[in-house]
Every structure is written in structure tokens, then in C-alpha cells.
Amino acid sequence: MTDVTLRRSPALAPLLARGALLSPFKRPRPDADFPRTRLVLPGLRVDLARLAAYERVCGFATGDDALPVTYPHVLGFPLAMRLMSARDFPLPLLGLVHTSIGITRHRPLPATGAYELTVYVAGLAPHRRGTEATVVTEVRVGSDVVWESSSTYLARHRTSAAPEPAAERAAQTPLPPLAEWRLAGDIGRRYAAASGDRNPIHLSPLTARLFGFPRAIAHGMWTVARCVAAHGSPQVGEVRAEFRAPVLLPGTVTYGAESDRFELRGGDRLHVTGVVNGRVSDAR
């Protein structure tokens, strides 16, 4: 791979526009070539006002000199978007679905620290519903990786794969319900303001309908962050989450948790399922 060093974090709006314009010309397939570039952003410092807005909308405590475990995803997202909106990225940005994220925090991250971000596409893989890309984000202090994540994004298209078995389609037994959250219609706009992710499917019913949704939907990373804020996370450890179904706004959802597992449901529909633990696996 080739490292490309950036002087500043890219602006998201032009990347969204470029990705939208290029999407109709993309023909996704798992054996397609993909960008072999690592984007590197050194000397990054956190905007504390924006961090506080993120903490408030996601339910984290404010004022601590510590980044929530999900926040580095926000820092790395503009770099990921630069890669995924580029001409040489084979999946169309429009309709791309964030299906999972795995996060490992190797040490606490002070909010006042200086960090280096690295983001790259690790590869493509076949999925029974299309083609999935894996995007890796790393946060370094000096030469040490202190936080890293791996996200999967799905481009849906016809495949020859067999349908999902009925046993896998069936929802798992619900976890004990701990809270009911009534979600306001502006959650998407508030999270967008804090995170910079202004995808139109999250902002209003009008713009969401353009993409086939009856109402605006909550950001997937907001649902994970809200669950982790309620569950609590160790200063060193892992978070794993899968996005199963969109959360329509406004709406009411039930947060459930047991031991290291959490989930978010709307009635019988499972939206998010995940695990938080204090172990860091040896595999890197």
C-alpha cells in the first residue's frame, strides 16, 4: 500500500456529492480492485466543543478528559469517506450499508491528546446479499496503535448465494429490557451536527424518502454509541456491534443488556446487537 499524508481532515459534504455522482457508474463485485492507499492524518487534536456535543447526543458523561470508545470513528470517518467516494473504490456510495463494527481500545485516550489517524480499505468479500468492503481505522500515539476499528459496508446486488437459513433469520431471544427510549425526530440532525455525517437519509423525512425510507433513520453509529453509553465500557477492551435494521425517527426503542451483551429493539424487530468486554484479543 501507498501512504498519503493529509494536512487536514477532509470536508464531508463534497465527498458525499462526489460519491453520489459516481455511484451510478459503479458495478460492484467481490473480485474488483480497490484502492491500495493508506490515508494518514498526523497531529490531530480533538475539537472539545464538538466532542461535548457528541457526548450529549449519545448519552456519555461530559467534561472528562477521555474520548468515548466510539468517538475515534467520528474522527476517522472523513478519511474513510474520501476513500469510499473515490473513483477507484468499486462500490457505489449511494445505498452502501454499514453492517458491522469492531473496536479495540488498547489504552485510555485523553481528549486533550494529539493523535495520528490512518484509514485504509482492507479488502472486499462476497456476501449473500452483494459485496462487502472492510475499512480499517487506526489511532496512534507515536508508533503505538492505541485504538483501532474494522467496519464492514455492504453494497447490495444480485448474487448466486443461497438465501439465509430460517434459523439465522429468526431473531435471537431478547435480552432483559432495561430502558425504553423515545427518540425525537431531530436525533439524526443533532448527531449529524456533532459527527459531521450529514447523509440525507438521517436528516428529514423528505430527504429520507428519496432513498426509499418512510422517515429519517438514526445513524447506526449513534445507536451503538447510545447503547455503549448506557452499558458502560472499560478503558481498555473491545466493542463489537452488528446493525440489523434501521431505526426510524421519531420512534420508540427498547434497550436490553445482560452481562457483556447489549441490544436495541423496536417491538419484535432487532435493530442492533453487540458485545462489550475488557479483553483485548491477540490477533491484530
Side-chain angles (χ1 to χ4, degrees):
M1 283 196 178
T2 302
D3 286 359
V4 175
T5 301
L6 306 180
R7 300 178 66 180
R8 62 180 64 86
S9 186
L12 278 170
L15 298 178
L16 279 169
R18 181 177 71 178
L21 290 172
L22 292 174
S23 287
F25 304 100
K26 303 292 182 76
R27 297 293 180 264
R29 65 182 197 277
D31 61 345
D33 197 13
F34 58 90
R36 312 288 174 149
T37 302
R38 280 193 297 253
L39 298 181
V40 181
L41 180 62
L44 176 68
R45 290 193 176 273
V46 174
D47 182 327
L48 297 182
R50 190 169 165 187
L51 171 62
Y54 175 89
E55 290 169 334
R56 285 192 295 270
V57 73
C58 295
F60 290 106
T62 60
D64 295 335
D65 186 18
L67 297 181
V69 66
T70 51
Y71 193 70
H73 174 85
V74 171
L75 300 176
F77 188 65
L79 281 69
M81 282 293 297
R82 174 163 163 169
L83 291 172
M84 293 191 291
S85 65
R87 189 176 300 274
D88 59 351
F89 184 72
L91 308 186
L93 190 64
L94 289 182
L96 205 61
V97 179
H98 195 182
T99 51
S100 74
I101 186 167
I103 296 171
T104 302
R105 179 164 56 182
H106 296 280
R107 68 172 74 164
L109 278 65
T112 52
Y115 302 102
E116 179 179 278
L117 280 175
T118 301
V119 180
Y120 60 93
V121 179
L124 304 180
H127 185 279
R128 57 185 172 76
R129 292 183 178 176
T131 298
E132 206 166 52
T134 299
V135 178
V136 172
T137 301
E138 298 171 341
V139 179
R140 284 181 171 80
V141 174
S143 60
D144 296 332
V145 176
V146 295
W147 183 101
E148 56 190 317
S149 73
S150 178
S151 282
T152 55
Y153 296 90
L154 173 66
R156 297 181 180 181
H157 58 83
R158 290 187 178 183
T159 72
S160 58
E164 184 180 13
E168 293 183 23
R169 289 199 303 268
Q172 64 189 55
T173 302
L175 298 178
L178 300 183
E180 184 178 85
W181 297 334
R182 297 181 183 275
L183 308 182
D186 68 346
I187 285 290
R189 293 188 293 276
R190 290 173 56 205
Y191 184 83
S195 68
D197 182 357
R198 291 181 170 83
N199 188 319
I201 62 175
H202 305 301
L203 303 182
S204 76
L206 179 61
T207 54
R209 287 190 198 108
L210 296 175
F211 298 91
F213 295 98
R215 304 196 301 275
I217 65 171
H219 294 73
M221 284 306 298
W222 176 85
T223 63
V224 171
R226 184 68 187 88
C227 288
V228 172
H231 185 283
S233 63
Q235 288 299 301
V236 173
E238 298 177 334
V239 174
R240 303 282 181 267
E242 294 184 4
F243 306 105
R244 301 293 186 87
V247 175
L248 296 176
L249 301 172
T252 300
V253 292
T254 300
Y255 163 73
E258 185 174 52
S259 184
D260 59 355
R261 297 164 56 207
F262 66 83
E263 67 179 22
L264 201 62
R265 288 181 179 267
D268 293 331
R269 195 176 198 193
L270 181 61
H271 295 293
V272 179
T273 180
V275 176
V276 177
N277 65 56
R279 300 183 299 277
V280 177
S281 62
D282 293 331
R284 291 285 298 278

